[in-house]
Amino acid sequence: MLLDDELLARIRAEAPPGRLMPPAPTEAVTEFEAAIGFPMPPLLRRLYLEVSDGCFGRWWSALPLTDETLTKNGYLEPELMPDTYARWQQRSACPTSVVPLLTGGCAIWSLVDFGTAEGRMWGWDPNVRCEAHAIFPEKFTLADRLTGWLDDTDEFPEPPDFTDCAACSRFWPKPDPWWPAPRGGADQ
């Protein structure tokens, strides 16, 4: 895995021209950390303070902290990280330390756990689970995800194997023979 300095340099070098925004003001980072009660993982903090106020990650779409980035970038997701975090906290299953980082479309999100120094990643995919199980911890760290996004080898967040949840059962198995069976077979 790349060291943090190498990863930051690679993000700067591989960003499409004009895609990265000026770094976030220190005040924006510290105010957000104070508001949620957790510090940003060190790598994420460095990304916001040294590289760009959002606009990195998958499809260069990490949420910004400030309005200035939204207006300069013509941002596709016209939301700020603090506003999105507040909305996410209305979901009962979302831990307070888990913060939305970017969306992959189709309601799929990548989130980062501010309660872990390495920035443990979480996923959200309500297309394959009930709302209570749509959020799940992943085996990846922020550095793993960033490297995968840069290498174009990273997949969308992948939920763990199915549970016995009756509400989740509506998602699998699908009667359509073209719909893929869950890992481990359709009879689980």
Side-chain angles (χ1 to χ4, degrees):
M1 179 172 11
L2 297 173
L3 298 174
D4 288 359
D5 288 336
E6 296 169 324
L7 193 50
L8 297 179
R10 189 165 168 210
I11 290 168
R12 285 186 193 101
E14 294 185 23
R19 187 62 185 170
L20 295 178
M21 295 294 106
T26 303
E27 299 79 35
V29 172
T30 55
E31 285 174 16
F32 184 59
E33 291 173 328
I36 68 167
F38 294 92
M40 278 188 177
L43 175 59
L44 187 62
R45 193 171 217 280
R46 287 190 64 195
L47 276 164
Y48 276 95
L49 292 175
E50 298 175 30
V51 179
S52 181
D53 181 9
C55 305
F56 53 84
R58 181 188 297 278
W59 303 314
W60 307 97
S61 63
L63 294 171
L65 291 171
T66 67
D67 285 324
E68 187 173 331
T69 295
L70 291 177
T71 56
K72 284 185 178 176
N73 195 32
Y75 211 74
L76 296 176
E77 289 293 326
E79 294 188 48
L80 298 173
M81 184 182 278
D83 299 334
T84 306
Y85 172 78
R87 203 177 66 247
W88 273 87
Q89 287 309 301
Q90 295 171 6
R91 300 175 192 273
S92 61
C94 189
T96 57
S97 63
V98 175
V99 178
L101 181 62
L102 57 86
T103 180
C106 298
I108 300 169
W109 282 82
S110 290
L111 303 95
V112 63
D113 190 345
F114 280 34
T116 61
E118 73 277 10
R120 177 68 43 200
M121 296 300 293
W122 285 61
W124 167 266
D125 189 348
N127 302 298
V128 296
R129 294 284 192 281
C130 72
E131 184 156 338
H133 296 111
I135 191 165
F136 48 89
E138 295 191 280
K139 63 182 176 181
F140 302 104
T141 65
L142 177 61
D144 296 332
R145 277 290 188 214
L146 288 167
T147 301
W149 289 328
L150 288 167
D151 291 343
D152 201 26
T153 58
D154 189 48
E155 300 295 327
F156 285 99
E158 187 174 327
D161 289 334
F162 284 88
T163 66
D164 292 333
C165 173
C168 288
S169 68
R170 74 175 199 263
F171 295 100
W172 296 101
K174 297 288 186 186
D176 183 345
W178 294 101
W179 195 271
R183 289 174 295 184
D187 59 338
Q188 284 193 348

